[in-house]
């Protein structure tokens, strides 16, 4: 879903829900957060958040996994939008969205300066994944950021996704790969080849033709890199139309 979506705010549901049980943080609320715009990585690393009230699009509502009855019987908890909010406060950027009264959640439409838009050819919009999986709540890639409960150490990804305007499924982002690069960290000797693997984190399928340090992956999603200068380097996997990967740290020794 993106900005064509018409939000209907059910004020009664809003009041009923804010009046419910006090928000209690549930243990460790530290997750690994990544925010990928179409041009760069805005955030990558741990963030501690926890349930809190969020304000977007002029609406304040608790973001705690209880929207639209998504987790009946479960304690209030940390969600992808809570992590986004904590990162925004830590790094000094803002974000915005439109509240949807049916799901009691927001469609996040802007993070920092990157904002949903579309023309007759393409749609670009924000969606969230947890451990590379699309939510079963809300509208899956959108309208689930305050419904999906996180566990400590989960990988939370806010991704700016590009789809064709015609036939592009904004709910599932069919055809888009969310690249995952392994190893995440490696130490190698100068000039000694080492192999990296790129997959679509969602399906686990190998990603062919992704670039890592300007080397293309093969049909098995593998590329062999040779680095000739000692030092510390960071690389990501990229492929046109897909969401870039996590960072890989490479320490090259003499
Ligand atoms: C959220 O707002 C409600 C209503 O003002 C308040 O009762 C609640 O304590 C707030 N929750 C948090 C976590 O600040
Ligand atoms: C990146 O996203 C912005 C919207 O924030 C858009 O205006 C711009 O055209 C996009 N650029 C590319 C290369 O996709
Ligand atoms: C839509 O935007 C893209 C990227 O800026 C551009 O390449 C394309 O020509 C535009 N399509 C239309 C119909 O304006
Ligand atoms: C990669 O290096 C950065 C910067 O030193 C560090 O913050 C991050 O934890 C490292 N990641 C891994 C997987 O080692
Ligand atoms: C992953 O690979 C399997 C087996 O080749 C294929 O059936 C499936 O469609 C692929 N999934 C995606 C999302 O590409
Ligand atoms: C491989 O990626 C390049 C861009 O990096 C693109 O021009 C080319 O068409 C791709 N080839 C295949 C087989 O997907």
């Amino acid at each position: 879903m993106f900005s064509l979506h018409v939000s209907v705010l059910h004020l009664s549901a809003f009041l009923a829900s804010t009046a419910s049980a006090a928000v209690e943080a549930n243990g460790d609320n530290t997750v690994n957060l990544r925010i990928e715009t179409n041009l760069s990585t805005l955030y990558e690393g741990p963030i501690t958040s926890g349930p809190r009230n969020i304000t977007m699009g002029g609406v304040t509502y608790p973001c705690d996994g209880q929207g639209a009855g998504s987790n009946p019987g479960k304690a209030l908890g940390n969600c992808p939008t809570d992590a986004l909010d904590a990162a925004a406060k830590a790094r000094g950027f803002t974000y915005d969205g439109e509240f949807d009264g049916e799901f009691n959640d927001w469609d996040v439409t802007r993070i920092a300066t990157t904002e949903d838009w579309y023309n007759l050819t393409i749609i670009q919009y924000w969606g969230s994944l947890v451990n590379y999986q699309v939510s079963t709540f809300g509208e899956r890639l959108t309208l689930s950021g305050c419904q999906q409960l996180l566990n400590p150490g989960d990988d939370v990804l806010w991704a700016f996704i590009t789809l064709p305007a015609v036939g592009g499924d904004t709910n599932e982002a069919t055809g888009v790969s969310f690249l995952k690069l392994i190893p995440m960290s490696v130490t190698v000797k100068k000039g000694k080849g080492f192999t990296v693997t790129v997959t679509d984190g969602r399906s686990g399928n190998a990603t062919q033709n992704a670039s890592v340090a300007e080397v293309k992956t093969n049909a098995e999603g593998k590329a062999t890199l040779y680095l000739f200068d000692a030092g510390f380097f960071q690389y990501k996997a990229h492929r046109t139309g897909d969401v870039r990967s996590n960072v890989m740290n490479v320490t090259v020794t003499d």
Side-chain angles (χ1 to χ4, degrees), residues 10 18 30 39 42 47 57 68-69 76 84 101 109 136 148 153 180 195 217 219 232 239 244 253:
H10 296 302
T18 47
T30 303
L39 304 177
L42 183 63
I47 189 85
L76 308 184
L84 168 63
T109 54
T136 55
Q148 205 170 6
K180 182 174 183 180
T195 300
T217 54
F232 177 71
R239 193 172 70 170
R244 77 182 67 75
T253 60

Side-chain angles (χ1 to χ4, degrees), residues 184-185 232 234 247 249:
M184 289 176 74
S185 184
F232 177 71
Q234 294 189 303
V247 74
N249 290 342

Side-chain angles (χ1 to χ4, degrees), residues 59-76:
V59 178
T60 300
Y61 198 82
C63 185
D64 56 15
Q66 300 298 307
S70 41
N71 295 287
K74 290 220 177 138
L76 308 184

Side-chain angles (χ1 to χ4, degrees), residues 18-87:
T18 47
S20 71
V23 172
E24 47 189 75
N26 147 31
D28 179 357
N29 284 312
T30 303
V31 296
N32 298 310
L33 173 66
R34 197 147 63 82
I35 305 175
E36 302 286 357
T37 79
N38 55 345
L39 304 177
S40 65
T41 300
L42 183 63
Y43 189 99
E44 182 161 8
I47 189 85
T48 301
S49 45
R52 70 221 18 233
N53 288 327
I54 297 277
T55 302
M56 276 190 259
V59 178
T60 300
Y61 198 82
C63 185
D64 56 15
Q66 300 298 307
S70 41
N71 295 287
K74 290 220 177 138
L76 308 184
N78 194 26
C79 294
T81 304
D82 295 313
L84 168 63
D85 180 69

Side-chain angles (χ1 to χ4, degrees), residues 38-39 113-115 117 124 160:
N38 55 345
L39 304 177
T113 57
T114 304
E115 189 159 21
W117 74 282
Q124 292 191 308
F160 197 59

Side-chain angles (χ1 to χ4, degrees), residues 198-220:
V198 180
T199 54
D200 166 28
R202 205 154 46 145
S203 62
N205 288 358
T207 302
Q208 184 171 9
N209 199 35
S211 323
V212 184
E214 295 174 35
V215 180
K216 292 290 179 79
T217 54
N218 65 17
E220 284 76 51

